[in-house]
Amino acid sequence: MMERDPIEEDSMTAVLSLVDPRLLERHDLTVDDLADLPEDLRYELIDGRLVLTPHALPIHQIIVNRTVNAVEAQCPEFEYVVNGEQAVRMGLRSELKPDVVLIRAEGANRSPVLPADVPLVVEIISRSSKHYDRNNKMKDYALAGIPHYWIIDPLDVQVTFTQYRLGVDGNYHRQLQTDELVTIHEPWEITLDLPAWTRKRDYLDEVGRPDR
């Protein structure tokens, strides 16, 4: 069994205090049932169940921000919006919050946004999400018809990037996996400096105090 991170445990305790415990016991929730939850609460609705997630470590948010900046660098000015942790309505009883979401402008004036308006989602792997991001979420995003899915893994020896594209068979197919400086060309030219992200992560690990 994987050892729980004390920081994640403290974060989860704080998150739980913001939610009516009765919601966590239900398996029939809809997206509309969650409309009054605090906006800064990190949660997803999965098949009618409210799933809470602890606030991520700073390196996770650093990579989210750098990914957003990379996608925005040559993004057409008016056609798209790039958001971090944007809710995507996957169905009546499912609402996911990818770490980075690219949204067509005509669908960006609502939340949660609809999958038909989302050409790209990005998940940054964390200890609590690595299995779900690589399996269940991949299937959910493919079923919703989202054309591009990226996974960035800061838990590997080097920070890695994996690019998937939706095929005509309705499944994602891996296009690229790398831990190097990379420029991809879908949905437009985007450069990700993975070695720089690895150096940042390793430095934070090196200088971090052991009083966890």
Side-chain angles (χ1 to χ4, degrees):
M1 179 180 296
M2 184 176 62
E3 183 178 351
R4 289 296 301 274
D5 188 328
I7 293 178
E8 286 191 355
E9 289 184 348
D10 290 345
S11 178
M12 182 58 75
T13 299
V15 167
L16 288 171
S17 68
L18 301 174
V19 179
D20 183 342
R22 290 172 294 183
L23 289 178
L24 299 173
E25 299 171 358
R26 292 178 56 182
H27 294 258
D28 61 346
L29 294 170
T30 69
V31 171
D32 293 338
D33 290 328
L34 307 184
D36 294 329
L37 288 178
E39 291 186 0
D40 60 347
L41 184 65
R42 299 187 79 242
Y43 71 87
E44 292 181 307
L45 179 64
I46 301 173
D47 296 329
R49 295 180 299 109
L50 178 62
V51 179
L52 303 181
T53 56
H55 291 287
L57 294 175
I59 186 60
H60 186 281
Q61 195 58 42
I62 288 169
I63 292 176
V64 168
N65 292 339
R66 292 189 179 185
T67 302
V68 168
N69 292 339
V71 175
E72 282 186 328
Q74 298 196 49
C75 177
E77 182 176 5
F78 296 108
E79 287 89 341
Y80 297 94
V81 173
V82 188
N83 269 3
E85 292 191 358
Q86 169 65 55
V88 180
R89 181 169 180 151
M90 308 297 288
L92 179 64
R93 299 186 187 280
S94 292
E95 178 183 307
L96 300 181
K97 290 187 178 179
D99 289 303
V100 179
V101 183
L102 179 65
I103 313 160
R104 294 185 179 87
E106 56 267 29
N109 198 26
R110 56 167 295 157
S111 185
V113 298
L114 301 178
D117 294 314
V118 176
L120 166 69
V121 293
V122 185
E123 293 287 1
I124 316 298
I125 297 292
S126 64
R127 290 185 182 92
S128 61
S129 75
K130 57 185 178 180
H131 175 77
Y132 191 66
D133 289 344
R134 294 188 185 279
N135 295 279
N136 302 64
K137 278 191 176 180
M138 180 177 290
K139 294 175 183 177
D140 290 341
Y141 294 142
L143 186 62
I146 295 174
H148 300 280
Y149 182 38
W150 297 354
I151 294 178
I152 298 174
D153 187 355
L155 304 180
D156 210 338
V157 176
Q158 309 290 328
V159 177
T160 61
F161 163 75
T162 308
Q163 176 192 18
Y164 295 93
R165 182 194 299 147
L166 192 65
V168 294
D169 60 357
N171 297 312
Y172 283 121
H173 298 273
R174 191 172 74 179
Q175 306 299 303
L176 173 70
Q177 185 171 42
T178 184
D179 58 12
E180 301 177 351
L181 177 68
V182 62
T183 298
I184 57 177
H185 301 278
E186 293 180 297
W188 44 78
E189 187 171 290
I190 299 169
T191 298
L192 305 174
D193 192 348
L194 301 167
W197 301 356
T198 297
R199 291 192 296 271
K200 182 72 170 184
R201 180 203 64 187
D202 291 349
Y203 178 75
L204 294 177
D205 286 345
E206 179 183 350
V207 301
R209 289 192 299 269
D211 54 345
R212 299 181 58 159

